[in-house]
Amino acid sequence: MTPDLFSATSQPTTDPIAPALGAQRSKWMQQASSVPNLQCGKDEMFPLTLELVRRIGDGEATDLDARPQLSSVASSRSWRQYSYALRPMGLVQSRKGVLQLTPEGSELLADESPLRLASLLAQRIRLFAEVLGLLVREPLTVEEANAELIESYNLEWTSVSNTRVRMTWLEVLGLTEWLGERKQSATAEGRSLFATWEVVTPSALALHDSGEAVDIPEAPGEIAALLAHLAATDGAQEARNTYNIWVPSPKEDPNKIENLRTCIAAAEDQMEKAALLGFIADRFGLKRSSVDSMLPFMRAAGLLLEVRRGVFTATPAAKAWLRSGSDIDFIRILHANMKFVGELIRAAKVNVPRNDVYREGITYGLNKDKVRWLTAFMVESGLLIETSWSSVQATATGLSLIETLPLAEPHLPEAAAELAPGLAQSTSGAPGEPDKLSLIVESLTRSSVDPGADGAAPGAAFEVYIESAFRHMGFRAQRISGSGDTDILVQWYDSNGSLRTAIVDGKSTSSGRVTHNNVSDVAIDTHKEKRSAEYVAIIGPAFSGDTIKNMAKRKQWALITADELGQVVSSAEALGLRPADVGMLFEASDGLSRLAGLIDTRQRELDILSLVISRLKTESETEEAVSARDVSLIERGSALAPNIDELLDTFRLFDRLDLDIVRSVEDVQDPRYATYRIGDARSAAKRLRAIATAIESGWTGPASTTITGLGRTAP
């Protein structure tokens, strides 16, 4: 059930009318999604904040890389690192390499009150005030508060850490207190202060009718000037680039826009290239070489400017984005500098498959990988939503934004036109058994909306085809379907060799929709415990209504449509995905989306392999040897535009296979410059095909064409 943050017990007493939804959305878009982290103990958080503000007020932060001697903590970090926490609080700003207090910082210095800092955080940080609202309403554990936030605000959080940090700040600032049973509640001061705050309600963030008027924050002057230039200047649309996109997004810090903001904030003042890239590598736990490809993107996106050789700083537009904190301002900058940004939102005005968006991207000169990155930015900024793992749709906010952007019409570049027909890659099975694969995929869809399919008992045929689908992908799958037990038990070994278990509940409905009335959470919990399962999946033709989706999110169930399972089976067949790979579809929060990303990545790897072979074959006609670096430069204008790391991985694969696919001509210390010629590639392909056929024959045996359970045999 959605919590009511504005019930009689939590409504601000001084203003009984909640702010307009448009104003709430505008506030949400301007707030930071991450809570400031000073990386210190709980008892040190507020004293450290005050000491840093005092010292900055005294003019001590003149060297951002210096480490101040502090009394609040045993070992300090650099001023630059502290600024990453203090700036989102609104306390400091950087001017010509010197940290200075903002007006809000000066006010805190004059009144060193925890309540003043709390109100700053409530204004600038998403879900800070809203967490306190939950604790004003009733005592909750961290886990309970986290579950309510996820359900109410449709969050993709996969752990309680985001909620825990917010609740820790509330406790440190004296707004909450501990009760029994690990629960926290608002203090009297917390209740009084919350009554003065404006919060963002869940209804403000719901997917609204596309015709609804939505207010969006105005663009800062520096960003508005970019868009005006794009609208008024001949050739400006064509001059937008299609450069490769890459932003660090490790599992513990998955928000790409927030991570990019952190990187650009490091260069708000001039910074040498080595120091900037070293900071990014250290901050996100990456190899230094992995970060090199990020610098050209930050420049191409209009976020970074080289002021003199090897020295960079954030552009005026990027600094305006850092000041506003609005994800929409980042999208505006991106649109002014790169193709198919606002146009991507236009392409998803209605619910569309991702593949349709990829095809539209090709008409602007972008490959699938680049469109995937842009789509991720749009989802994070609330301009698109993922209506399923394979479909997206523009939000009302997204549609309102593109009304303010100068958009370009599609123009199919010659290189992209050659690749366009191949975008929708065939996902049919291996040459030896396409009919069996097609039968499984067709039968899944057919039986999902026909409970009595094949003359079997209600739902039985659908369960059988689900079992067959998982077996076809290499899982251990067993249809049980008895009273008091699950429909299908699925097991596999993950990449660490650990046995994983999932239960699957198949729901075949003639209406084509599964609602909460078709599902018993009590029964599923019983089945899960009985089978000691870690995962639960419900598979049906489609899912209708927020109740079942919210229940699934709360219970950590994966909701999978029959069509989606069919696509996964086809992709697993075409790309050779293992159960350890496909198993992520059972991870409720984002498993299907991550699996879609893996499928795209594997397909891109194969596309790059084909491109390298084609390039080597072409160069062999002139007896020229080429290196990974050469291919990178030659193909940088192509639709694939592989980067150097991807090409090095491809050549390493050739070396591991050791089948004379390519031949080394000159081996040098730096592998980027090692040169190769094409080898006996066609014979190597035949050899690999023969090996694959032998493995398949040994695995399946001569009489393995029957789809388990119904006796239907593929010809």
Side-chain angles (χ1 to χ4, degrees):
M1 182 175 180
T2 300
D4 183 3
L5 294 175
F6 297 98
S7 64
T9 59
S10 63
Q11 176 74 6
T13 56
T14 58
D15 181 9
I17 301 175
L21 296 184
Q24 292 180 37
R25 293 188 203 108
S26 179
K27 178 178 180 178
W28 178 273
M29 288 183 283
Q30 294 181 63
Q31 289 178 313
S33 57
S34 297
V35 185
N37 186 356
L38 289 165
Q39 298 189 6
C40 62
K42 180 170 69 174
D43 295 337
E44 299 168 337
M45 291 167 66
F46 185 59
L48 176 58
T49 301
L50 291 182
E51 184 174 5
L52 291 170
V53 168
R54 293 189 200 111
R55 289 176 177 255
I56 293 170
D58 290 338
E60 295 185 21
T62 57
D63 180 358
L64 293 181
D65 294 317
R67 292 176 177 265
Q69 296 297 315
L70 302 171
S71 60
S72 306
V73 291
S75 59
S76 70
R77 304 161 67 219
S78 70
W79 282 116
R80 189 186 304 278
Q81 291 170 312
Y82 282 130
S83 72
Y84 302 144
L86 297 176
R87 276 192 286 208
M89 296 184 196
L91 299 174
V92 304
Q93 58 190 346
S94 179
R95 294 285 178 85
K96 297 182 178 180
V98 176
L99 287 184
Q100 300 175 353
L101 295 183
T102 61
E104 293 84 356
S106 297
E107 290 173 4
L108 181 64
L109 188 59
D111 174 20
E112 297 182 346
S113 161
L115 302 186
R116 181 175 292 278
L117 179 59
S119 291
L120 267 178
L121 294 176
Q123 179 64 27
R124 300 179 67 91
I125 305 299
R126 285 180 189 170
L127 299 174
F128 187 84
E130 292 74 10
V131 171
L132 181 58
L134 294 178
L135 301 178
V136 165
R137 192 194 67 195
E138 63 178 324
L140 295 170
T141 65
V142 172
E143 291 78 13
E144 289 168 343
N146 187 70
E148 293 211 30
L149 289 175
I150 289 175
E151 178 179 347
S152 301
Y153 291 90
N154 194 31
L155 304 174
E156 299 295 334
W157 293 352
T158 57
S159 73
V160 300
S161 60
N162 289 293
T163 303
R164 189 186 303 282
V165 176
R166 286 166 170 80
M167 291 176 69
T168 299
W169 268 111
L170 290 169
E171 178 194 355
V172 164
L173 298 174
L175 305 183
T176 63
E177 60 187 351
W178 286 95
L179 304 179
E181 299 178 332
R182 299 173 51 246
K183 293 181 183 286
Q184 286 180 258
S185 179
T187 61
E189 277 193 324
R191 293 173 187 275
S192 298
L193 188 62
F194 178 73
T196 69
W197 290 349
E198 292 181 346
V199 302
V200 178
T201 58
S203 55
L205 306 180
L207 178 62
H208 300 277
D209 184 87
S210 60
E212 178 186 346
V214 176
D215 292 329
I216 58 175
E218 290 187 6
E222 299 90 337
I223 299 174
L226 291 178
L227 297 175
H229 173 79
L230 180 63
T233 306
D234 290 340
Q237 291 283 8
E238 292 75 14
R240 289 192 294 165
N241 67 78
T242 59
Y243 207 87
N244 287 342
I245 304 171
W246 186 83
V247 178
S249 51
K251 189 173 183 180
E252 59 274 14
D253 287 308
N255 190 299
K256 299 173 178 62
I257 297 179
E258 195 67 35
N259 294 346
L260 185 57
R261 194 194 325 265
T262 298
C263 299
I264 298 300
E268 190 168 6
D269 297 297
Q270 295 182 14
M271 197 174 191
E272 291 188 357
K273 173 183 174 181
L276 175 60
L277 297 183
F279 161 76
I280 296 171
D282 292 342
R283 169 62 180 80
F284 296 102
L286 302 168
K287 292 181 179 178
R288 172 64 174 73
S289 59
S290 300
V291 183
D292 286 345
S293 60
M294 188 179 179
L295 186 61
F297 161 63
M298 292 191 290
R299 298 178 68 181
L303 301 171
L304 209 59
L305 179 68
E306 189 170 17
V307 292
R308 61 181 183 274
R309 186 173 179 83
V311 178
F312 293 86
T313 189
T315 63
K319 291 179 181 179
W321 167 43
L322 295 177
R323 289 195 302 271
S324 74
S326 171
D327 291 350
I328 284 183
D329 284 335
F330 163 67
I331 298 298
R332 286 168 167 148
I333 298 171
L334 205 61
H335 177 78
N337 290 278
M338 301 192 74
K339 293 182 179 178
F340 199 58
V341 178
E343 295 83 2
L344 191 158
I345 302 173
R346 182 176 62 186
K349 275 189 172 182
V350 297
N351 187 29
V352 295
R354 282 178 178 264
N355 275 339
D356 287 358
V357 179
Y358 298 149
R359 273 188 285 271
E360 183 75 3
I362 278 187
T363 67
Y364 290 85
L366 279 76
N367 61 31
K368 181 190 291 188
D369 190 58
K370 296 172 186 176
V371 177
R372 281 180 54 218
W373 274 102
L374 293 176
T375 302
F377 291 149
M378 299 299 176
V379 171
E380 287 185 354
S381 56
L383 304 176
L384 291 182
I385 62 164
E386 295 175 307
T387 53
S388 76
W389 78 294
S390 58
S391 301
V392 292
Q393 182 177 352
T395 63
T397 303
L399 295 177
S400 294
L401 176 64
I402 61 173
E403 291 298 321
T404 69
L405 299 178
L407 302 178
E409 295 307 315
H411 170 68
L412 191 63
E414 183 178 347
E418 295 175 359
L419 285 178
L423 177 70
Q425 291 98 359
S426 170
T427 53
S428 60
E433 50 178 13
D435 293 331
K436 179 180 177 182
L437 175 66
S438 300
L439 180 58
I440 291 175
V441 173
E442 179 274 329
S443 299
L444 276 171
T445 303
R446 174 177 55 82
S447 61
S448 71
V449 293
D450 181 3
D454 300 338
F462 188 43
E463 294 170 6
V464 165
Y465 292 123
I466 293 172
E467 177 193 35
S468 296
F470 280 104
R471 285 191 173 185
H472 191 81
M473 291 187 288
F475 290 84
R476 298 178 185 173
Q478 179 185 1
R479 177 174 176 254
I480 299 172
S481 194
S483 177
D485 211 333
T486 188
D487 292 341
I488 302 106
L489 182 69
V490 178
Q491 293 182 308
W492 71 100
Y493 287 98
D494 66 15
S495 56
N496 296 320
S498 299
L499 182 65
R500 300 298 185 188
T501 300
I503 59 169
V504 176
D505 198 11
K507 295 296 180 185
S508 175
T509 64
S510 55
S511 68
R513 298 282 174 180
V514 179
T515 70
H516 69 283
N517 294 322
N518 303 116
V519 178
S520 168
D521 58 336
V522 175
I524 289 177
D525 287 345
T526 301
H527 302 163
K528 183 180 179 183
E529 182 177 359
K530 180 175 182 178
R531 292 292 175 176
S532 301
E534 300 153 279
Y535 304 103
V536 174
I538 301 174
I539 302 178
F543 298 92
S544 179
D546 290 337
T547 304
I548 187 171
K549 295 174 184 176
N550 291 334
M551 182 191 299
K553 185 172 289 188
R554 186 171 63 254
K555 293 282 190 177
Q556 292 291 289
W557 301 339
L559 300 182
I560 304 168
T561 68
D563 284 342
E564 288 171 341
L565 181 58
Q567 291 177 49
V568 170
V569 176
S570 297
S571 296
E573 179 82 6
L575 301 175
L577 301 181
R578 306 169 302 160
D581 302 320
V582 179
M584 71 175 71
L585 96 167
F586 288 107
E587 297 175 14
S589 59
D590 61 351
L592 275 170
S593 294
R594 290 195 296 114
L595 180 56
L598 175 65
I599 289 170
D600 284 345
T601 298
R602 292 290 177 84
Q603 184 61 58
R604 177 172 171 80
E605 290 171 353
L606 294 179
D607 291 342
I608 291 172
L609 189 151
S610 296
L611 182 145
V612 170
I613 292 295
S614 176
R615 174 54 55 191
L616 289 172
K617 181 175 181 293
T618 299
E619 298 301 326
S620 70
E621 296 171 3
T622 58
E623 296 296 323
E624 288 290 330
V626 295
S627 66
R629 177 68 173 169
D630 295 332
V631 178
S632 174
L633 293 173
I634 294 168
E635 301 294 343
R636 63 184 174 183
S638 68
L640 271 178
N643 62 45
I644 190 69
D645 289 331
E646 291 175 316
L647 292 166
L648 288 174
D649 286 342
T650 302
F651 281 107
R652 291 188 192 106
L653 174 63
F654 293 149
D655 287 341
R656 288 198 302 272
L657 292 174
D658 192 25
L659 289 170
D660 195 29
I661 300 171
V662 299
R663 294 167 185 166
S664 175
V665 174
E666 183 179 4
D667 193 10
V668 295
Q669 187 171 4
D670 189 337
R672 294 177 297 176
Y673 300 101
T675 56
Y676 300 85
R677 286 198 183 100
I678 193 72
D680 199 352
R682 294 198 68 182
S683 295
K686 294 174 183 177
R687 174 66 173 157
L688 289 171
R689 197 172 296 119
I691 292 172
T693 300
I695 293 173
E696 190 72 20
S697 176
W699 177 259
T700 60
S704 58
T705 55
T706 301
I707 296 181
T708 308
L710 296 184
R712 298 183 63 180
T713 305

